[in-house]
PDB file of all heavy atoms in Angstrom:
ATOM      1  N   GLU A 136     110.998  77.416  95.466  1.00  0.00           N
ATOM      2  CA  GLU A 136     110.338  76.085  95.555  1.00  0.00           C
ATOM      3  C   GLU A 136     109.279  76.130  96.684  1.00  0.00           C
ATOM      4  O   GLU A 136     108.191  75.642  96.521  1.00  0.00           O
ATOM      5  CB  GLU A 136     111.342  75.008  95.754  1.00  0.00           C
ATOM      6  CG  GLU A 136     112.198  74.738  94.573  1.00  0.00           C
ATOM      7  CD  GLU A 136     111.521  73.961  93.465  1.00  0.00           C
ATOM      8  OE1 GLU A 136     110.336  73.532  93.652  1.00  0.00           O
ATOM      9  OE2 GLU A 136     112.123  73.783  92.379  1.00  0.00           O
ATOM     10  N   LYS A 137     109.696  76.700  97.826  1.00  0.00           N
ATOM     11  CA  LYS A 137     108.789  76.759  98.983  1.00  0.00           C
ATOM     12  C   LYS A 137     107.562  77.560  98.710  1.00  0.00           C
ATOM     13  O   LYS A 137     106.447  77.147  98.991  1.00  0.00           O
ATOM     14  CB  LYS A 137     109.587  77.320 100.170  1.00  0.00           C
ATOM     15  CG  LYS A 137     108.739  77.503 101.473  1.00  0.00           C
ATOM     16  CD  LYS A 137     109.588  78.140 102.488  1.00  0.00           C
ATOM     17  CE  LYS A 137     108.766  78.504 103.762  1.00  0.00           C
ATOM     18  NZ  LYS A 137     109.585  79.236 104.798  1.00  0.00           N
ATOM     19  N   ALA A 138     107.763  78.737  98.082  1.00  0.00           N
ATOM     20  CA  ALA A 138     106.592  79.635  97.811  1.00  0.00           C
ATOM     21  C   ALA A 138     105.666  78.974  96.736  1.00  0.00           C
ATOM     22  O   ALA A 138     104.473  79.013  96.884  1.00  0.00           O
ATOM     23  CB  ALA A 138     107.104  80.987  97.325  1.00  0.00           C
ATOM     24  N   ALA A 139     106.259  78.355  95.751  1.00  0.00           N
ATOM     25  CA  ALA A 139     105.448  77.704  94.703  1.00  0.00           C
ATOM     26  C   ALA A 139     104.667  76.544  95.297  1.00  0.00           C
ATOM     27  O   ALA A 139     103.436  76.363  94.951  1.00  0.00           O
ATOM     28  CB  ALA A 139     106.345  77.191  93.611  1.00  0.00           C
ATOM     29  N   ALA A 140     105.232  75.816  96.199  1.00  0.00           N
ATOM     30  CA  ALA A 140     104.512  74.668  96.761  1.00  0.00           C
ATOM     31  C   ALA A 140     103.344  75.120  97.609  1.00  0.00           C
ATOM     32  O   ALA A 140     102.255  74.530  97.611  1.00  0.00           O
ATOM     33  CB  ALA A 140     105.475  73.843  97.657  1.00  0.00           C
ATOM     34  N   ARG A 141     103.504  76.226  98.331  1.00  0.00           N
ATOM     35  CA  ARG A 141     102.442  76.815  99.167  1.00  0.00           C
ATOM     36  C   ARG A 141     101.268  77.235  98.362  1.00  0.00           C
ATOM     37  O   ARG A 141     100.120  77.228  98.819  1.00  0.00           O
ATOM     38  CB  ARG A 141     102.957  77.978 100.019  1.00  0.00           C
ATOM     39  CG  ARG A 141     104.059  77.576 100.997  1.00  0.00           C
ATOM     40  CD  ARG A 141     104.585  78.733 101.770  1.00  0.00           C
ATOM     41  NE  ARG A 141     103.719  79.079 102.899  1.00  0.00           N
ATOM     42  CZ  ARG A 141     104.008  80.025 103.772  1.00  0.00           C
ATOM     43  NH1 ARG A 141     105.074  80.783 103.618  1.00  0.00           N
ATOM     44  NH2 ARG A 141     103.145  80.316 104.780  1.00  0.00           N
ATOM     45  N   LEU A 142     101.485  77.593  97.109  1.00  0.00           N
ATOM     46  CA  LEU A 142     100.374  78.082  96.221  1.00  0.00           C
ATOM     47  C   LEU A 142     100.055  77.064  95.151  1.00  0.00           C
ATOM     48  O   LEU A 142      99.368  77.449  94.146  1.00  0.00           O
ATOM     49  CB  LEU A 142     100.785  79.391  95.578  1.00  0.00           C
ATOM     50  CG  LEU A 142     100.469  80.697  96.398  1.00  0.00           C
ATOM     51  CD1 LEU A 142      98.938  80.795  96.695  1.00  0.00           C
ATOM     52  CD2 LEU A 142     101.272  80.801  97.676  1.00  0.00           C
ATOM     53  N   ASN A 143     100.478  75.811  95.326  1.00  0.00           N
ATOM     54  CA  ASN A 143     100.097  74.713  94.405  1.00  0.00           C
ATOM     55  C   ASN A 143     100.557  74.988  92.968  1.00  0.00           C
ATOM     56  O   ASN A 143      99.847  74.785  92.024  1.00  0.00           O
ATOM     57  CB  ASN A 143      98.587  74.522  94.437  1.00  0.00           C
ATOM     58  CG  ASN A 143      98.220  73.162  93.890  1.00  0.00           C
ATOM     59  OD1 ASN A 143      98.971  72.183  93.953  1.00  0.00           O
ATOM     60  ND2 ASN A 143      97.020  73.052  93.305  1.00  0.00           N
ATOM     61  N   LEU A 144     101.805  75.493  92.846  1.00  0.00           N
ATOM     62  CA  LEU A 144     102.360  75.871  91.555  1.00  0.00           C
ATOM     63  C   LEU A 144     103.596  75.072  91.145  1.00  0.00           C
ATOM     64  O   LEU A 144     104.193  75.359  90.118  1.00  0.00           O
ATOM     65  CB  LEU A 144     102.672  77.354  91.509  1.00  0.00           C
ATOM     66  CG  LEU A 144     101.530  78.364  91.331  1.00  0.00           C
ATOM     67  CD1 LEU A 144     102.010  79.772  91.583  1.00  0.00           C
ATOM     68  CD2 LEU A 144     100.915  78.231  89.955  1.00  0.00           C
ATOM     69  N   THR A 145     103.983  74.134  91.966  1.00  0.00           N
ATOM     70  CA  THR A 145     105.259  73.399  91.718  1.00  0.00           C
ATOM     71  C   THR A 145     105.297  72.818  90.293  1.00  0.00           C
ATOM     72  O   THR A 145     106.357  72.959  89.606  1.00  0.00           O
ATOM     73  CB  THR A 145     105.442  72.277  92.738  1.00  0.00           C
ATOM     74  OG1 THR A 145     105.439  72.858  94.062  1.00  0.00           O
ATOM     75  CG2 THR A 145     106.746  71.566  92.515  1.00  0.00           C
ATOM     76  N   ASP A 146     104.245  72.224  89.827  1.00  0.00           N
ATOM     77  CA  ASP A 146     104.240  71.632  88.483  1.00  0.00           C
ATOM     78  C   ASP A 146     104.164  72.626  87.345  1.00  0.00           C
ATOM     79  O   ASP A 146     104.313  72.252  86.171  1.00  0.00           O
ATOM     80  CB  ASP A 146     103.050  70.665  88.373  1.00  0.00           C
ATOM     81  CG  ASP A 146     103.123  69.452  89.324  1.00  0.00           C
ATOM     82  OD1 ASP A 146     104.284  69.154  89.728  1.00  0.00           O
ATOM     83  OD2 ASP A 146     102.136  68.818  89.569  1.00  0.00           O
ATOM     84  N   GLN A 147     103.984  73.929  87.685  1.00  0.00           N
ATOM     85  CA  GLN A 147     103.837  74.935  86.663  1.00  0.00           C
ATOM     86  C   GLN A 147     105.021  75.875  86.572  1.00  0.00           C
ATOM     87  O   GLN A 147     105.044  76.751  85.706  1.00  0.00           O
ATOM     88  CB  GLN A 147     102.572  75.769  86.952  1.00  0.00           C
ATOM     89  CG  GLN A 147     101.312  75.014  87.313  1.00  0.00           C
ATOM     90  CD  GLN A 147     100.837  74.147  86.256  1.00  0.00           C
ATOM     91  OE1 GLN A 147     101.010  74.449  85.067  1.00  0.00           O
ATOM     92  NE2 GLN A 147     100.207  73.001  86.577  1.00  0.00           N
ATOM     93  N   LEU A 148     106.015  75.633  87.399  1.00  0.00           N
ATOM     94  CA  LEU A 148     107.102  76.572  87.538  1.00  0.00           C
ATOM     95  C   LEU A 148     107.926  76.772  86.250  1.00  0.00           C
ATOM     96  O   LEU A 148     108.414  77.888  85.996  1.00  0.00           O
ATOM     97  CB  LEU A 148     108.080  76.150  88.637  1.00  0.00           C
ATOM     98  CG  LEU A 148     107.780  76.669  90.080  1.00  0.00           C
ATOM     99  CD1 LEU A 148     108.838  76.249  91.028  1.00  0.00           C
ATOM    100  CD2 LEU A 148     107.627  78.203  90.074  1.00  0.00           C
ATOM    101  N   ASP A 149     108.040  75.780  85.455  1.00  0.00           N
ATOM    102  CA  ASP A 149     108.871  75.892  84.225  1.00  0.00           C
ATOM    103  C   ASP A 149     108.077  76.146  83.000  1.00  0.00           C
ATOM    104  O   ASP A 149     108.561  76.094  81.821  1.00  0.00           O
ATOM    105  CB  ASP A 149     109.775  74.642  84.109  1.00  0.00           C
ATOM    106  CG  ASP A 149     110.756  74.561  85.223  1.00  0.00           C
ATOM    107  OD1 ASP A 149     111.493  75.566  85.481  1.00  0.00           O
ATOM    108  OD2 ASP A 149     110.843  73.492  85.868  1.00  0.00           O
ATOM    109  N   LYS A 150     106.815  76.507  83.151  1.00  0.00           N
ATOM    110  CA  LYS A 150     106.009  76.959  82.022  1.00  0.00           C
ATOM    111  C   LYS A 150     106.151  78.475  81.804  1.00  0.00           C
ATOM    112  O   LYS A 150     106.378  79.205  82.765  1.00  0.00           O
ATOM    113  CB  LYS A 150     104.526  76.625  82.279  1.00  0.00           C
ATOM    114  CG  LYS A 150     104.150  75.170  82.183  1.00  0.00           C
ATOM    115  CD  LYS A 150     102.657  74.982  82.402  1.00  0.00           C
ATOM    116  CE  LYS A 150     102.281  73.533  82.227  1.00  0.00           C
ATOM    117  NZ  LYS A 150     100.782  73.318  82.427  1.00  0.00           N
ATOM    118  N   ARG A 151     106.078  78.881  80.559  1.00  0.00           N
ATOM    119  CA  ARG A 151     106.088  80.330  80.277  1.00  0.00           C
ATOM    120  C   ARG A 151     104.797  81.002  80.836  1.00  0.00           C
ATOM    121  O   ARG A 151     103.704  80.436  80.815  1.00  0.00           O
ATOM    122  CB  ARG A 151     106.100  80.568  78.769  1.00  0.00           C
ATOM    123  CG  ARG A 151     107.318  79.945  78.093  1.00  0.00           C
ATOM    124  CD  ARG A 151     108.563  80.822  78.183  1.00  0.00           C
ATOM    125  NE  ARG A 151     109.700  80.238  77.494  1.00  0.00           N
ATOM    126  CZ  ARG A 151     110.913  80.666  77.644  1.00  0.00           C
ATOM    127  NH1 ARG A 151     111.150  81.677  78.442  1.00  0.00           N
ATOM    128  NH2 ARG A 151     111.974  80.086  77.006  1.00  0.00           N
ATOM    129  N   LEU A 152     104.943  82.217  81.287  1.00  0.00           N
ATOM    130  CA  LEU A 152     103.790  82.911  81.875  1.00  0.00           C
ATOM    131  C   LEU A 152     102.710  83.185  80.836  1.00  0.00           C
ATOM    132  O   LEU A 152     101.541  83.301  81.204  1.00  0.00           O
ATOM    133  CB  LEU A 152     104.231  84.185  82.562  1.00  0.00           C
ATOM    134  CG  LEU A 152     105.240  84.070  83.681  1.00  0.00           C
ATOM    135  CD1 LEU A 152     105.464  85.407  84.381  1.00  0.00           C
ATOM    136  CD2 LEU A 152     104.825  83.010  84.702  1.00  0.00           C
ATOM    137  N   GLY A 153     103.092  83.214  79.568  1.00  0.00           N
ATOM    138  CA  GLY A 153     102.079  83.361  78.522  1.00  0.00           C
ATOM    139  C   GLY A 153     101.092  82.260  78.464  1.00  0.00           C
ATOM    140  O   GLY A 153     100.030  82.379  77.958  1.00  0.00           O
ATOM    141  N   ALA A 154     101.517  81.092  79.015  1.00  0.00           N
ATOM    142  CA  ALA A 154     100.626  79.922  79.044  1.00  0.00           C
ATOM    143  C   ALA A 154      99.844  79.806  80.303  1.00  0.00           C
ATOM    144  O   ALA A 154      99.022  78.893  80.493  1.00  0.00           O
ATOM    145  CB  ALA A 154     101.410  78.650  78.809  1.00  0.00           C
TER     146      ALA A 154
END
Side-chain angles (χ1 to χ4, degrees):
E136 291 286 353
K137 178 183 172 183
R141 296 177 81 179
L142 274 300
N143 198 30
L144 282 170
T145 301
D146 294 340
Q147 314 296 330
L148 271 184
D149 294 310
K150 288 184 178 179
R151 302 277 181 193
L152 299 188

